[in-house]
């Protein structure tokens, strides 16, 4: 590791900034992890799109359908590929705490920058606050690496700003991906100061959160590589302009992406988020690959609608691939 446990917050404040994307995991038609495709994507995202870091093996990455050895191997591939080129935050989320800790120790050994652990599923616990606090305290005590929390409705509850601020007092709790209404994450931001880096996955709100809340990191989802190409890096551009204080120019670029946002949103079939995003990747010349069960693939009709929407949305694509069916 590049820092001690007591240095984790300072290291995160310095290095967990910019645009971080949540990686998708490409699978072959035989259902195997497409490691070469994953590496190709990382190279493209770093070199062509200038993405600052990667959230690896999370919900977008289909960790729920991967074995423990597969998850560890993906960590190894990502850290080696990103070393000196981009940051890594590795998802150790699992309902089994032993798995969380095993993955966390593996991430430490590899020299990953940070890990993320989502709040446990506790729809059967009311109220959950003391249980959740004890959960993150135990993880903090067992690991030295910087830990990002993640609160989202899938857990059966949302962590309150007060609970998040309490957990932020632990020495190596450095950030939170806070998938909650804006009022909640704005309140948390005002409460924690430098003790916790707050972010959310909404690209639509990213510009406003830089300007109004002083946020330093987009953490994180797939728009950084779905809404950009080598020849059209408007998300990168509006982010850098907003950080530099050129708010008018940044806002105009942000607004110019509205047709792309609509194309992605309006063609995404219910229940097929992963397959839709992977097909969009293929259309952009990236490796999308298949999804794993229990997820479903797109139909030919859904692919045709997605292809037409991409062609009409104004996103500049250098090379149109052969991804049709």
């Amino acid at each position: 590791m590049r820092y001690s446990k007591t240095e984790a917050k300072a290291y995160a404040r310095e290095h967990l900034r910019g645009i971080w994307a949540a990686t998708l995991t490409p699978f072959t038609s035989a259902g195997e992890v497409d490691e070469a495709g994953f590496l190709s994507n990382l190279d493209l995202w770093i070199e062509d799109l200038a993405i600052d870091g990667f959230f690896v093996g999370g919900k977008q990455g289909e960790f729920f359908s991967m074995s423990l050895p597969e998850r560890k191997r993906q960590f190894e591939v990502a850290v080696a590929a990103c070393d000196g080129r981009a940051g890594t935050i590795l998802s150790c989320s699992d309902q089994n705490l032993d798995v969380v800790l095993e993955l966390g120790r593996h991430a430490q050994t590899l020299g990953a920058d940070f890990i993320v652990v989502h709040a446990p599923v506790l729809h059967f616990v009311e109220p959950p606050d003391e249980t959740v606090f004890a959960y993150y305290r135990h993880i903090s005590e067992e690991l030295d690496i910087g830990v990002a929390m993640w609160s989202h409705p899938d857990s059966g509850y949302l962590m309150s700003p007060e609970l998040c601020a309490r957990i932020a007092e632990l020495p190596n709790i450095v950030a939170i991906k806070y998938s909650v209404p804006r009022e909640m994450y704005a309140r948390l931001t005002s409460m924690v100061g430098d003790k916790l880096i707050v972010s959310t996955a909404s690209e639509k709100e990213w510009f406003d959160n830089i300007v109004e809340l002083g946020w330093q990191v987009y953490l994180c989802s797939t728009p950084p590589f779905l809404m950009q190409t080598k020849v059209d890096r408007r998300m990168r551009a509006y982010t850098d302009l907003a950080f530099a204080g050129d708010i008018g120019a940044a806002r105009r670029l942000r607004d110019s992406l509205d047709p792309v946002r609509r194309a992605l949103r309006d063609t995404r079939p219910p229940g097929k988020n992963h397959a839709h995003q992977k097909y969009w990747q293929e259309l952009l010349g990236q490796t999308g690959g298949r999804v794993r069960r229990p997820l479903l693939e797109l139909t030919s009709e859904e692919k045709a609608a997605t292809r037409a929407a991409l062609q009409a949305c104004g996103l500049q694509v250098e090379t149109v691939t052969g991804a049709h069916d």
Side-chain angles (χ1 to χ4, degrees):
M1 286 176 54
R2 298 173 176 86
Y3 55 89
S4 69
K5 186 175 207 167
T6 57
E7 295 168 334
K9 291 183 188 292
Y11 183 86
R13 184 62 59 183
E14 181 178 355
H15 295 280
L16 187 56
R17 54 177 60 248
I19 297 173
W20 289 52
T23 65
L24 297 164
T25 302
F27 297 106
T28 68
S29 57
E32 302 297 323
V33 175
D34 185 351
E35 191 170 298
F38 183 61
L39 281 168
S40 175
N41 284 342
L42 287 172
D43 284 339
L44 184 154
W45 297 337
I46 295 169
E47 300 300 329
D48 292 354
L49 305 185
I51 296 174
D52 296 299
F54 299 98
F55 180 122
V56 178
K59 186 167 65 172
Q60 298 284 9
E62 297 176 67
F63 82 88
F64 47 80
S65 66
M66 296 174 68
S67 68
L68 184 56
E70 286 176 326
R71 296 180 72 181
K72 287 184 173 181
R73 175 59 185 166
Q74 189 175 51
F75 284 7
E76 294 162 9
V77 171
V79 171
C82 292
D83 186 30
R85 305 164 70 202
T88 51
I89 182 165
L90 309 182
S91 176
C92 301
S93 298
D94 200 274
Q95 193 65 4
N96 184 298
L97 183 56
D98 288 341
V99 172
V100 172
L101 295 175
E102 184 171 347
L103 288 171
R105 294 183 182 108
H106 192 57
Q108 288 181 170
T109 300
L110 295 173
D113 291 292
F114 313 100
I115 65 169
V116 61
V117 180
H118 70 52
V121 175
L122 292 174
H123 55 80
F124 45 85
V125 174
E126 180 62 36
D129 285 25
E130 290 305 317
T131 305
V132 175
F133 178 79
Y135 179 79
Y136 280 111
R137 181 178 59 193
H138 183 71
I139 292 169
S140 173
E141 290 169 349
E142 291 293 317
L143 301 175
D144 294 327
I145 196 168
V147 179
M149 302 176 282
W150 184 13
S151 179
H152 53 75
D154 296 4
S155 298
Y157 59 94
L158 295 177
M159 294 168 60
S160 69
E162 291 75 17
L163 174 60
C164 296
R166 182 184 174 197
I167 297 171
E169 296 292 334
L170 299 170
N172 56 332
I173 301 295
V174 301
I176 185 168
K177 181 178 177 180
Y178 206 23
S179 303
V180 300
R182 193 166 194 265
E183 183 277 332
M184 289 179 66
Y185 67 65
R187 183 152 56 94
L188 178 60
T189 301
S190 70
M191 292 170 64
V192 293
D194 288 343
K195 293 180 181 178
L196 190 73
I197 298 169
V198 183
S199 190
T200 196
S202 172
E203 182 276 329
K204 185 179 179 181
E205 299 169 24
W206 169 227
F207 167 81
D208 291 332
N209 292 334
I210 298 172
V211 175
E212 298 173 11
L213 302 180
W215 280 12
Q216 68 176 59
V217 65
Y218 175 77
L219 184 70
C220 49
S221 190
T222 54
F225 56 81
L226 296 182
M227 294 176 58
Q228 298 193 109
T229 69
K230 182 178 182 179
V231 294
D232 191 346
R233 301 195 327 192
R234 279 177 279 172
M235 184 179 177
R236 176 82 265 173
Y238 86 65
T239 296
D240 291 341
L241 286 167
F243 281 153
D246 193 344
I247 304 306
R251 181 179 286 109
R252 286 190 292 273
L253 271 181
R254 186 276 308 267
D255 292 347
S256 75
L257 283 166
D258 280 346
V260 183
R261 295 184 186 98
R262 287 194 297 270
L264 275 166
R265 181 194 66 213
D266 294 348
T267 59
R268 188 169 295 168
K272 295 185 178 182
N273 290 358
H274 293 76
H276 180 263
Q277 292 175 107
K278 288 183 175 186
Y279 184 63
W280 190 280
Q281 280 187 281
E282 296 281 351
L283 295 172
L284 295 182
Q286 303 172 27
T287 301
R290 308 293 292 272
V291 296
R292 266 188 181 170
R293 298 287 185 184
L295 300 182
L296 299 175
E297 298 287 354
L298 299 186
T299 65
S300 296
E301 293 77 12
E302 290 163 345
K303 289 182 177 181
T306 301
R307 191 165 62 247
L310 174 59
Q311 292 168 351
C313 74
L315 182 64
Q316 298 178 49
V317 181
E318 186 177 35
T319 303
V320 177
T321 74
H324 298 299
D325 302 316

